[in-house]
Each structure stands twice: as C-alpha cells, then as structure tokens.
C-alpha cells in the first residue's frame, strides 16, 4: 500500500532555516510561573532551590547540545546561544528551539524532586516553558543582547528585593509597597534598603544580582583551527566541547573583561581558562 | 538604571504569525527514540505502555489547550490540530509549537513512572521531543494530512508486525527478516503472517493498526454561533471545550464517516456525540 | 578559474515559496502618483487617459502571464490574481511580484505616449510602481479581498467626485471643500452633487464608479479536466488561456452574479462566456 | 458606506521586514534576455550600447534611492546594496525590491531610444527584470558577494570572448566552438585567443572584463557622525548622498584596495575621493 496519494501534504511544510553566519539565541520562559510559584510556595524575592533547578536543567541542555557556546539565566528564563558557525539541524529554527525547550523541560521535571524534595509536582500544575529563536548578525550585538538580559536581572532584582523587604520585614501591604516604589530610581531603593532595614544591596548573593552564566571550560589549549574547518575538524571540536566542563558563574557579562578572558566563547573554539583568576571569578566562588 | 541602551536588540525579534484562517498542525516527534526504546527495553513491535503514556500526555495537552480540536498519535509522534479560527497566542508559530512540545514533555516525564513503574528514568536518557507547525488552507487538505499519518501508521505497523514475528517467533536474524521483506507488498506480508505464523493481521489491536485519535465530546448541543463570533461567544465556546471530555479512539479517520458523525471537529464548534454508534466506534470499544 | 571560494554567499538566499493551494494576489501601487499626477496635469477627479493606460498595461501583464485568472484596477493600483493551482516560478514570492511589477512598468512607460501624446515623460518624473504578494486560503476570502478594493473604489470616487465638483464648479477652495465634507456619509455627498450641481452620481461612468476588472474569455467550452492535472493537460490549459481574449469590464464584483456567470475564473479552467448577457455586462458596454 | 466588513482581508498581509543591521543586496536580472538580445540583434559577445543602457538606468536608481551605497552590474544583471543602517521603507523586503525593479525598468525603457536610436522597442518584446533581496550579516561577506559577481563576470567574459572570436573570426560553428572549449581552463582560452587570433585578452575593455561598479563620490569631508545618528543627522547624510555624484567605474573590487581607498562605501558615511589616484582608477579613465 503506497502512501503517495496523501504525500502531497508534505509540500505545505515551509523551510525555516536561520540566516547563516549569525548568532542564534534561543530564549525560553516559564509559562505562568507567577501562579506556579504561588502554588508551590516559592520563597520571595528569590528561591534559591528554583534557581538552582533552572541552572541544573540548563547545564544538561548545554551538555546535550555541544554546539551551544554560552547560556544566561535569570528568574524563570534562560537564553542559549549558538555560534555563527553552528550547523546543528541545518540551522532549522523549529528544530533548534523545540529541542532546547523539550530537553530543558524534561530535566526540570525530572530534577524537581531533587531540589524540592518535600513538594511533589501536582498536575495540572506542571512547569512548562515556551521559547523562540532570534538571530544577531555580530558579536557586538550578541553581547548587547546578553547585557540587556543582565541589566534586566539587576533592575528586577533590586526592585523585588526592596519590595519584599518592605513587605516581609517592614510589614507593608503589597499595594503600599508598590505605591511607595513607584517612580523611584536605583539610588532610592538602595537607600530604603540601607536606611530602613540596614541592608547593603551589594552584599546580596551574586546569583541574585547577576543571574547565572554558563559556559564551557576546556582542559586543552586553544585549537589552531582555520576559519573554514573541515568536517573532521568540526567533529574534533564537537568532541572537545562535549567533554568540556560546563561552568555556572555569577559574574558581570556587560563589561569586556568577562569576554576577553574567555576568548573561546565568542571565537567558537575550545580553550582553557587562563591561569590567573579575575576578581569576578573569585566572587563567583564564594 | 534604565535599560534603554541595550533594548534595541528587541528589534531583531522577527514576527512569526501564521496565516489567518488556516488549519495549524503541530507535529511532535520523539528525539532519538530508537536508542531510547532500546535503553528502556520497549517491547517490539509495539509497547502498549509507551503508547498509553504518549496518549496520556497528549490528553493533558488537549486539556491544557482548549483551542485544539483534534490530535492523532502513532508510535513516538503526535499531531495536534488548531482550527482556522484559533487566535491562541495571536497564532505565533514559536509560541504555539513550544507550548505544545513543553507541555507534552512535562507530562511524559511526570507520568513515566505510572506507565513504567519498574523502569526509572536514567539521565542522560531522558525522553524529549521536537516539533514544528504546518498550516493547511482547507479542511480537505487537513483531512489528507490526517490520512497521510494514518496510512503511514498502517504501513509501518504491518511491516513491523511481520518483521518482529519473523524474528521473535520465526527465529530469523534481523538481517534475514529485513532481506526477505524487501520488495514485498501488503498482501505478501499478510500471507507471511497467516501462512507461517497463523496470525490474522486484522485481529491485531486497533491501537496498533489505526493509531490514536483524540477529540472532545461535549454534553451540550451544537452552539448556533455566527461565523464572526464576538469575544464573549468565543470565551463561552472555550469554556465548553475546556469541560468537554477528551476521547481517545482508535478508528479509521480516512473515510468520511468519522468526520460526518462528529461535525463539531471540523466546524470548530462544540457538539455532542450522535446517539447511534458507528461500526468503527464499536471496534474502538473492543 | 573556479568561483568556488565565493560561492558560499549563495547560501544566504532564503526560500520564499508561497504556501501551496492558496490564492496569490499581487497588488501594485503607483509610487508618488500624487506628485506625479500634478506634474503631468492629470484631470481631476478622474483622468480617463491615465486609467486607460493603467488598463492597457494590465492587459499586457495578463497576456504575458497566462497563469493570472483575474485582475482589478482602480486609480493607480492594480491587483493581479493567481489561482491556487498556479505553479509559475514554483510560486516564489519575489519572482512573481517583481515580474508583474517590471512588466507592468515596462508597458506603462512604453505606452505612455499613446495615451498622453502631447505630454512627454520627463525624468526624474518617471512613473514607477511598488508591489507585494498576499495569499488567501479560500475563494470566499479572495472574493472579500476583491470586494474590499471595489468598495474602496466607490468610497474614494464618490468623495473625489463631490470634492472636485465643489472646487471646480462650486468655486470652493480645497480647504473649504474638505472641511464641508468632513463627517459626511454617502447620502450627504449624493445630495450635494444632485441639489447643488444637478449631478446624479449614478450617471457617472462605470469605469470611475466600479473600477476595472480584467479576465479571460475563451472561445472554447469548459475543459473537463480532473482536479489533478497532468503536465500535458496543464500545458494545454495554459495554451488556451494564452489565446483567450482579455476582457476589460467595469461591473459589480461584490455580488455573486459576476462570479456565477463566469465560473472559469474561480475554477481556474478556461471557459466561454454564457450566451445571454447580464445587466452589468450591458452597462459595461455603454 | 463603511468598508469594515471586508477590511479583515488586510490581516493576511504578512510582515517582511529584513533583519536589522545587515547588508541588503537587491539583485535584478533581465527576463528572457537571451531571446531579447537575439530579437534586437545585440552585438556578441558584448554590446556596448546595452551595457551603457544598463549603467544609465542603474545610475538613475542610485540617484532616486540615496540609501544605496554601491551597485555592481554585469551583462543583464545588477546588484544594488543598502547599508546595514538603512531604514528605507522600514526595511520591508517587497517594498525595497519592487521599487528598485520598477525604477530600473522605467529608466531602461525610457532611455532605450537614446542607446538604440535605430532599433525601436517592439511589444511583446519589451525588456523586463525580476529581482530579489538577500541579506548579509557582515561587510566581509558582502565583499565576498561582490567578488562572486565579479569573478563570474570574468569567467563568463573570457568564455564568451573566446567562443565568439572562434565563431566570428575563426569561422567555427557554434557547436564546434562549444565542443572545443569544453573542459578548457582560463590559460587555454587565453592561448586560443592569442595564438590563433593575436588577441591579448588583457587588452579587452575594462567594462567587459571587470563589469561596472557604481558608487557616490562626495565633495564634502567625512562626516564625523556618531554610530547612533539622530534623525536630523540622518536627514543631513541623506541630503549629502543625494547631491553626491554617482561614479561608474570598471575596476577590481575583489582586492582590498578599492574598499580601502573609498572607506565611505562600507562605513555608510559620505566622503570625498582621496587626492592621489590608484592604478585601477586610471584604468577606469581610459
């Protein structure tokens, strides 16, 4: 029995290959996590278990897809970055995005009980994520994208930290705290925290203030590879990336230092960490 | 601290709204399920537990997204269908696809232990799915799409049933069975099954031969709604769909009968099942 | 000397095939025709020469592209319609649109002196057109598109006729006429024309009130062709369409009558005009 | 009379904005120019009048669209390049492509009689062009695109020159010449020309060997403009570009020299030509 009579329906599948030689960012977001975090009583403003679970799932995605060169997470969102030379799934948009979304979801659900041992998942309150791909033509713009997310992390965390301190320690209602914070700038919030509650925002955990950046750290030296790599070279690089350790860091990715010290991230080539550690490195190790 | 300096990166997000008034099919596929089914020792040619798990996850997707009007599953793939009038997520491609993929994955992982109680999931062998959306301009072509998948189910199941019977009961090696089946047509395979092993393919389970079709069955009468529905009418319909029962059926969806007896599926309006059952209905109840 | 080193740049060309089995409308618009019509002193509100030139160019486009089944023009815009079965240029968007835009422009420029014998073209005031393709999934929606353009024609023509009569015959300034027409409905404009200037709008030329509809009229009977046509049948149909006469009509295309009497337009098959003429046909012949 | 009932058809128009910060190349090609050049008896292998007409039309396109920063033409094709900062028509694909195709066609038809005074255009043999846009993420890749076209020009021109010399001067039939050239490399063709016909290919006209490159040459100094230009600065730049002279050159654009000496082309800023001329400049002036 042939299937030819109906096979014409395949012609309706439209190509969705992403422009070559561009950075691919797949950003995923928790669906309805506001309601979900209430249901599972996430700690406000930051639930360390929830963030660690996000990072653990993201690390598995990085390990599953060696083509990924960096990822950045904050709150219930994560951005995964493919290098311009990436040819995974022939750069098909839907394939790249759904693979990341599904792999992330699978690990998030599977690892849930590790991070929330006394809070079992209760359908229909199952966490899930949506996602999308965006392409960026240059490394400069990719870095601006990463900076955009980290600035957002800072703005939101400063607001949330102040808001929840006013509510939890100051006894304000949500509405009153919201009202008082309306129109304030960073300096105002820092002052509220310090003057009223003796909290120095700078002493908050780096993971809350900076979010989480994931990348590979190789044991091997920089590969001296040509721009046009042969297939066997690409396979070799893939292998190196696969066995590289995925690091979870909480550091500034806006300034140049982070990128200059880890040139293999933007170059798309494997490389090992320079021997002397930067300050933000040390902070990350606290 | 304003985020405006970096916010221009949002301009790189490109719209992906699907053409209005077309059927949207989101088909998801298991990633690397060949290896996975080996790892978890799925029964060949069909593992009833695995199919029931697929269907259970798909039912939850249908319940989570009342806009879905029908779904069809076979092996490790599932096709979910949105009606041309669907406005969910403003018909954004990535949003629709990733929501389905993620929700399906979440339930598949979460429900795994129910269907495989003695086979715990072992990372990195976590099941995951990729997916894509395809649009079809008319109900006729949508039905041809559904027929295409069901014919594929039949072709594959007849092949797999014959192949594994030759191996498991006939003692052939995989290579020998493959070799012997090369070039055979349906009638040949039916004959091998019957003459050599006394198996009448027609007596195989409907779920294996026909796959699984999921749709809603409402208690209420057809809504007499205008083609241009007001928002409140749409909300009412959504509510009706939400409380409708999701049926899992294993019936012929190629011939007209299935569709004619359940006109609400193609009309996109809620409706209750006619009182007299068709033959394929009865088959499904065996 | 091989060109292989640079040929990778071809990979950046992205596919733009239009969804199969949908109606393709290519609408072109005059660029800066407001300024242009001033420069060449087009008669207001309607310059018959300019409309005839538009129609003449459109007829040549129809003759050049036998796949086109109907076209509709008003003012400095024209909509060209390809049937859902059209396979021209593999339905590549840019190819279809630019071919129509360029062919139309070529004839418009070339035929200019025929319609404006005493007004030579003066660079940089050369007429040019932009265009775009839109796809519609059903004949019903295509007809609504055509109706949309014809209603627009009516609305604009009634306004322009009233406005220019008030200016040209009534001696009002542009601003005063504009001011007085603000907020008026059709009945008001009809009354202004009739009471103040003795003009019955119904007696205006059909080409101004209805725009221009172009289609083929075949000498041969309807082809009894199967929905799935063989290549040779398609070639035969193309030939028939090529030798068919392109008719320029000024009739109502909103009501069913036009379409019911010319079933070959929506069916995509050639056909000859029924023997008895409808009223709108006769109007067209005035 | 409102038009609202049909206006929903506008929802079917899909956005086609090109990715920001990328180079946009619109390449147009003559439709059926093989037949056309026979019909109008173009001189083989190169008809200087036809090339000059192409260039004249392209110059007008450059003048009409000051956003264009460079163009390259060979045979019956022309590539027009917009800078990554270009915001013309909000970077809408169809708008950019059709505007260029239509403007080019208009001038080509209008100027025909200037370049072919004794060969009037004869419908249906009217020249027309199709076109498409391709985006390139970096200046390096854009240059590789330009190199690709110029290498193609060289390959084709060497072949055509040899082929037509063998036919016109050597008395070979087309088939015999084609047969003899099969499998030859550049050196072979150079030798045939030189040994058999005493022709030194290097002495052929630059316009035939190198094609035509069009760019602006400003009288003013480089503008010291910020990367993020205000609207008024952009307007000022546009004005400068508008009054700049469009140069038609026949020079090597593969090596760095061309680009290094005219930095304003890739920078997207206006600039005047350096005082000392390069060799390829002088060649161009022959």
């Amino acid at each position: 029995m042939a299937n030819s009579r109906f096979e014409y329906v395949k012609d309706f599948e439209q190509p969705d290959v992403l422009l070559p030689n561009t950075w691919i960012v797949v950003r995923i977001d928790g669906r309805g996590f506001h309601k979900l975090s209430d249901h599972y009583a996430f700690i406000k403003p930051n639930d360390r278990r929830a963030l660690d679970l996000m990072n653990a799932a993201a690390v598995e995605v990085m390990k599953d897809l060696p083509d990924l060169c960096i990822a950045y997470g904050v709150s219930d969102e994560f951005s995964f970055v493919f290098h311009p030379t990436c040819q995974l799934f022939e750069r098909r948009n839907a394939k790249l995005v759904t693979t990341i979304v599904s792999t992330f979801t699978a690990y998030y659900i599977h690892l849930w009980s590790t991070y929330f041992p006394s809070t079992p998942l209760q359908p229909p309150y199952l966490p899930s994520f949506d996602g999308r791909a965006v392409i960026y033509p240059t490394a400069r713009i990719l870095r601006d994208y990463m900076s955009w997310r980290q600035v957002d992390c800072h703005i939101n965390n400063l607001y949330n930290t102040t808001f929840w301190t006013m509510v939890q320690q100051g006894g304000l209602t949500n509405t009153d705290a919201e009202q008082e914070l309306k129109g304030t700038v960073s300096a105002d919030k820092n002052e509220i925290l310090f003057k009223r509650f003796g909290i120095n925002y700078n002493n908050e955990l780096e993971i809350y203030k900076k979010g989480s950046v994931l990348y590979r750290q190789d044991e091997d030296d920089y590969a001296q590879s040509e721009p046009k790599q042969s297939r066997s070279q690409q396979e070799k690089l893939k292998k190196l990336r696969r066995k590289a350790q995925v690091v979870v860091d909480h550091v500034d990715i806006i300034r140049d230092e982070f990128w200059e010290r880890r040139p293999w991230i933007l170059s798309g080539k494997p490389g090992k960490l320079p021997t002397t550690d930067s300050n933000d490195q040390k902070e990350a190790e606290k």
Side-chain angles (χ1 to χ4, degrees), chain A residues 15-25 67 82-97 133-137:
Chain A
D16 66 343
V17 167
L18 294 165
L19 192 71
N21 273 71
T22 52
W23 295 88
I24 302 170
V25 175
D67 289 83
F82 292 105
H83 195 263
T85 56
C86 166
Q87 294 302 326
L88 183 64
F89 305 138
E90 295 95 53
R91 300 174 70 83
R92 278 180 288 153
N93 188 335
K95 202 83 166 138
L96 291 165
V97 175
V134 185
I135 54 175
Y136 295 105

Side-chain angles (χ1 to χ4, degrees), chain A residues 229-241:
Chain A
Q229 296 153 3
S230 65
R231 183 153 290 272
S232 67
Q233 273 172 309
Q234 284 204 356
E235 283 311 306
K236 199 185 142 202
L237 286 178
K238 212 161 192 167
K239 227 172 177 173
L240 276 173
R241 279 199 291 258

Side-chain angles (χ1 to χ4, degrees), chain A residues 3 10 16 31 69 91 102-103 120 139 157 164 170 177 237 261:
Chain A
N3 203 350
K10 283 200 284 188
D16 66 343
R31 288 182 62 221
C69 54
R91 300 174 70 83
S102 183
T103 306
N157 190 58
W164 286 106
L237 286 178
R261 290 176 49 78

Side-chain angles (χ1 to χ4, degrees), chain A residues 51 55 71-74 78 207 210-214 248-251:
Chain A
L51 291 179
N55 288 344
Y72 176 75
V74 45
F78 237 99
I207 186 175
K210 298 270 194 351
S212 301
V213 53
L214 279 60
V248 180
D249 230 340
H250 316 291
V251 296

